[in-house]
Amino acid sequence: MQNFAERFQQVCSQIRHATGIAGRPRGCVQLLAVSKTKPASDIAILYRLGQRHFAENYLQEALQKQLQLAAFNITWHFIGPIQSNKTKSIACHFDWVHSVDRLKVAQRLSEQRPEHLPPLNICLQVNISEETSKSGVSLTELPQLVEAVNGLPRIRLRGVMAIPEPETSYPKQRQPYRRLYQAVQQLNRPELDSFSFGMSGDLKAAIMEGATMVRVGTALFGERHYI
Ligand SMILES: *Cc1c(COP(=O)(O)O)cnc(C)c1O
């Protein structure tokens, strides 16, 4: 518990500090707590410390925790790879989806978003390091995908998400985010106001380059132990 409070304060102050150095308004960067592999009890601790936005990668795991935490007023973000046959459940149980990388998935999410819920907020995942193995639309294909997704009735296209190749050098960490930020500015669509950039290891670089949401796991919850 002590550890959680300390780590939470540290991450919040890192975000405040970087936001200040970037010359951006206080509070413009939202912290998403990435709780994959961590138990609902860890989420509850962070919630009591004031955290409200949580992000999960694996659908079954997320649904189970959502059931356990049904009494909490959590905003849930889905950030993992999406198989088409999982879209219905994602459309029903999340407020944001950051990992949409093809039209088919966007269409299904729109069709399957329940009427009683507001339109689903989505970000398009962009493969900014252009590796063949990673998911995400390429920078060249981004404008067409934005165009196609934008007309879908039950989703609200909010921006982009990127997971660049890990880099330890700060200038190198900034480059891919800068490229993507500029590419989005060139689309000239003010509704694309969300930049899901940055994780535990590159928070500052991401915030310097326009991140509005940072996705932080390890720095909040400690190391993950996969079984
Ligand atoms: C796991 C994960 C994170 C968090 O990574 P940390 O390095 O633990 O902060 C962020 N974004 C995505 C898409 C992830 O899968």
Side-chain angles (χ1 to χ4, degrees):
M1 174 68 204
Q2 188 59 33
N3 272 345
F4 273 97
E6 273 170 24
R7 285 191 298 243
F8 182 56
Q9 288 318 320
Q10 201 161 20
V11 170
C12 292
S13 93
Q14 248 183 304
I15 292 173
R16 263 198 310 276
H17 183 71
T19 308
I21 291 180
R24 300 176 55 201
R26 203 176 235 256
C28 69
V29 180
Q30 190 163 57
L31 172 61
L32 309 190
V34 178
S35 40
K36 63 176 175 228
T37 80
K38 299 295 176 181
S41 54
D42 283 4
I43 296 178
I45 294 173
L46 269 192
Y47 184 91
R48 292 193 188 98
L49 292 169
Q51 179 63 23
R52 291 293 177 270
H53 289 257
F54 290 86
E56 290 280 345
N57 293 59
Y58 310 110
L59 183 63
Q60 288 316 314
E61 182 193 331
L63 295 178
Q64 208 164 24
K65 290 182 218 174
Q66 288 178 349
L67 273 179
Q68 293 171 275
L69 297 162
F72 293 63
N73 184 23
I74 291 176
T75 301
W76 290 102
H77 298 248
F78 190 81
I79 61 172
I82 304 174
Q83 297 159 266
S84 318
N85 63 345
K86 301 285 173 62
T87 51
K88 177 148 193 209
S89 197
I90 294 172
C92 292
H93 296 283
F94 289 83
D95 304 291
W96 281 78
V97 181
H98 295 230
S99 41
V100 176
D101 64 356
R102 54 197 194 276
L103 182 59
K104 183 180 173 195
V105 163
Q107 283 168 332
R108 291 176 64 97
L109 290 171
S110 178
E111 282 161 19
Q112 295 166 336
R113 179 68 167 173
E115 279 303 323
H116 69 276
L117 294 175
L120 181 64
N121 292 298
I122 71 162
C123 289
L124 298 177
Q125 182 173 352
V126 182
N127 183 357
I128 192 70
S129 306
E130 305 277 336
E131 297 156 273
T132 45
S133 60
K134 276 222 185 110
S135 39
V137 63
S138 70
L139 258 190
T140 12
E141 290 162 338
L142 178 65
Q144 290 149 271
L145 186 58
V146 166
E147 197 67 40
V149 161
N150 213 39
L152 297 172
R154 298 291 296 144
I155 59 180
R156 193 168 156 213
L157 180 58
R158 296 297 303 272
V160 289
M161 189 267 260
I163 315 172
E165 270 291 87
E167 286 284 355
T168 45
S169 120
Y170 171 68
K172 281 191 180 162
Q173 288 179 344
R174 291 179 61 167
Q175 279 168 16
Y177 293 131
R178 174 173 306 185
R179 270 205 300 155
L180 179 52
Y181 188 88
Q182 287 174 348
V184 172
Q185 296 313 308
Q186 280 163 13
L187 297 176
N188 206 11
R189 288 180 180 270
E191 73 275 18
L192 302 184
D193 60 2
S194 301
F195 297 85
S196 175
F197 287 177
M199 328 205 291
S200 298
D202 64 355
L203 271 191
K204 186 179 172 194
I207 291 172
M208 290 300 286
E209 300 301 339
T212 61
M213 294 182 279
V214 289
R215 309 177 311 271
V216 180
T218 311
L220 284 172
F221 293 99
E223 294 290 333
R224 286 179 292 273
H225 304 285
Y226 292 96
I227 303 151

